[in-house]
Amino acid sequence: MSPPTAGTAAFDLTDPTTFVRNDPHAFWAAMRDHDPVHWHAGRGGLPGFWAVSRYADVVAAYADAARLGSARGTVLDVLLHGDDSAGGRMLAVTDRPRHRGLRTVMLRAFSPRVLGPVVERVERRAAELVREVTGAGGFDFAAEVAEHIPMGTICDLLSIPGADRPDLLRWNKNALSSDVADADPYAALEARNEILLYFMDLVERRRAEPGDDVVSMIATAAPDGEPLSVEDVALNCYSLILGGDESSRVSAICAVKAFADFPDQWRAVRDGEVPVGTAVEEVLRWATPAMHFARTATTDLELGGRRIRAGDIVTLWNSSANFDERQFDRPGRFEVARTPNKHVSFGHGPHFCLGAHLGRAELRGPAHRAGRHRVPDRSGRDAPARLLHLPQRLQQPARRLHGPLTGP
């Protein structure tokens, strides 16, 4: 283990406020140049871990699922305190061979037959929301638009009754983020438990009277010849809420902020100079809603010239890889026409995000509709307030964005 690069020792990657108080881009640029596979010393009695910052090393690590496992957990804060209780049961935190069978089951939830009607509803929902706020003067984009599309989409996918959806949205927000740095961690735990209890009850009902919905599909499947337990079905339904809601919500908010900061880029999308699908890829790179994922070395290995020992925690920083000058030209510039754009916002390799197609659709919908309404250059009336993500997720500080959105 080499000594930390000058100026990086005080940059605590385990503290979510670090990303609010400091400029993470400057930190990661220094790390990529001088210490791309960096040993982050343990603090407060917690173990140390590796922080991987270069794009090529991050992609290589994602692909090496045999030696860098996910079953102990994929979020740094969880791994620092022990194994993930969902390990081997929830898709994101399983390794082969269990991962292959479970992924096959979950892939059925994202087949073209299932997703076709869901994507159509995304388009309709986006049209309604954009129409309601266009010309309304000042409004809260996060609360009035961004909140409703992803959660509505995942609830459509899971056939969640409309009356239950507000509770799920509230629980999920409380489980993942807070407006204050000293939020009660037990409130987040209580919210996660409420979600799991809700899904356990729903699974019991759908298993007793199965329909053609995704929950019934998972509940009645038998990977490896054995049906999943009620708890395991609930965990995997929760994982869809966990990944599908916040990632898309944060990306949409970051998109509006980026278009406000780079109005020429919005004009290019609005006027049809750049395809919306191409612009969405740049939004995903720019937002990088999941700052990192973690792995645990299952054997000794070498990564980026450093010797990793079996049992070491290895964190893969998407928020650095997506801004690596070795992979992206002028990465600090938001360029909607950027192509190719092989970002890692959905991960890479065997654990590539199942919901990537749906996530892209959730961003395309509002952009298409805003373009059709000829929404002009956007500007935030108020400075966006930082929203701190809790350590369980350690993701990008999101923003509440207030400002006018008016038609011509």
Side-chain angles (χ1 to χ4, degrees):
M1 302 171 191
S2 64
T5 304
T8 64
F11 204 96
D12 184 0
L13 295 176
T14 68
D15 180 0
T17 65
T18 290
F19 303 99
V20 177
R21 298 192 310 265
N22 302 283
D23 177 8
H25 291 296
F27 169 80
W28 289 122
M31 298 306 294
R32 290 192 298 269
D33 287 343
H34 304 294
D35 196 6
V37 181
H38 167 72
W39 178 254
H40 187 290
R43 304 179 188 210
L46 298 177
F49 56 91
W50 296 97
V52 183
S53 55
R54 283 186 184 171
Y55 179 92
D57 293 332
V58 167
V59 168
Y62 274 133
D64 195 357
R67 298 189 299 172
L68 291 167
S70 300
R72 284 197 59 224
T74 59
V75 177
L76 178 58
D77 184 69
V78 173
L79 282 170
L80 293 179
H81 292 88
D83 294 359
D84 194 316
S85 60
R89 305 169 67 192
M90 190 166 71
L91 180 64
V93 286
T94 56
D95 293 327
R96 291 181 178 178
R98 176 66 169 170
H99 178 264
R100 184 182 289 110
L102 191 52
R103 187 174 177 89
T104 299
V105 170
M106 298 297 288
L107 275 171
R108 296 173 191 164
F110 293 92
S111 68
R113 179 185 68 82
V114 173
L115 286 188
V118 175
V119 171
E120 289 178 7
R121 286 194 287 271
V122 170
E123 290 285 346
R124 290 200 299 270
R125 185 174 291 112
E128 292 169 3
L129 291 169
V130 171
R131 184 168 57 249
E132 287 173 4
V133 298
T134 301
F139 72 103
D140 186 332
F141 176 82
E144 297 177 48
V145 179
E147 269 189 9
H148 299 281
I149 293 176
M151 181 57 83
T153 301
I154 295 299
C155 287
D156 287 345
L157 183 70
L158 298 176
S159 297
I160 302 296
D164 297 346
R165 298 184 181 195
D167 284 339
L168 277 175
L169 176 60
R170 175 171 52 82
W171 291 332
N172 199 48
K173 287 173 65 179
N174 291 341
L176 292 173
S177 57
S178 171
D179 293 310
V180 295
D182 58 349
D184 180 4
Y186 293 104
L189 180 61
E190 181 179 355
R192 288 196 295 276
N193 286 340
E194 291 284 0
I195 295 173
L196 288 172
L197 288 171
Y198 173 83
F199 276 116
M200 287 175 66
D201 178 67
L202 185 65
V203 169
E204 293 275 20
R205 287 186 275 126
R206 299 281 171 89
R207 186 166 271 176
E209 298 182 21
D212 59 358
D213 59 279
V214 167
V215 176
S216 297
M217 192 183 304
I218 301 171
T220 56
D224 308 318
E226 293 289 335
L228 297 171
S229 69
V230 171
E231 293 84 358
D232 287 5
V233 178
L235 281 168
N236 282 284
C237 290
Y238 176 44
S239 75
L240 297 178
I241 293 285
L242 185 71
D245 175 34
E246 184 155 28
S247 294
S248 295
R249 182 157 43 95
V250 170
S251 295
I253 296 168
C254 287
V256 172
K257 179 65 167 63
F259 284 127
D261 292 341
F262 300 92
D264 59 313
Q265 299 300 296
W266 170 243
R267 288 193 294 271
V269 175
R270 183 195 64 191
D271 298 343
E273 298 170 12
V274 176
V276 170
T278 302
V280 163
E281 297 306 314
E282 180 67 350
V283 166
L284 288 164
R285 182 193 73 88
W286 189 259
T288 312
M291 289 180 69
H292 85 282
F293 284 108
R295 300 288 188 264
T296 301
T298 58
T299 185
D300 291 356
L301 69 137
E302 186 173 292
L303 180 63
R306 303 300 298 276
R307 190 67 177 170
I308 311 294
R309 301 296 181 186
D312 283 357
I313 297 169
V314 181
T315 56
L316 313 177
W317 289 87
N318 302 331
S319 53
S320 175
N322 278 347
F323 290 83
D324 188 348
E325 301 84 351
R326 296 156 190 80
Q327 175 67 22
F328 302 97
D329 180 47
R330 298 196 302 170
R333 164 77 182 172
F334 180 67
E335 295 183 348
V336 292
R338 185 184 300 276
T339 184
N341 196 343
K342 297 181 179 180
H343 58 78
V344 290
S345 294
F346 289 124
H348 179 79
H351 283 271
F352 183 79
C353 178
L354 280 176
H357 174 72
L358 201 54
R360 289 179 167 114
E362 290 170 344
L363 293 173
R364 283 197 307 270
H368 271 303
R369 295 300 169 174
R372 289 181 184 181
H373 279 274
R374 302 293 297 172
V375 173
D377 299 349
R378 308 173 181 201
S379 60
R381 185 186 64 205
D382 304 319
R386 292 297 182 107
L387 182 65
L388 298 176
H389 289 255
L390 297 176
Q392 285 81 2
R393 199 68 176 158
L394 266 180
Q395 291 185 338
Q396 200 99 290
R399 293 178 171 91
R400 286 201 175 104
L401 189 65
H402 301 260
L405 182 63
T406 55

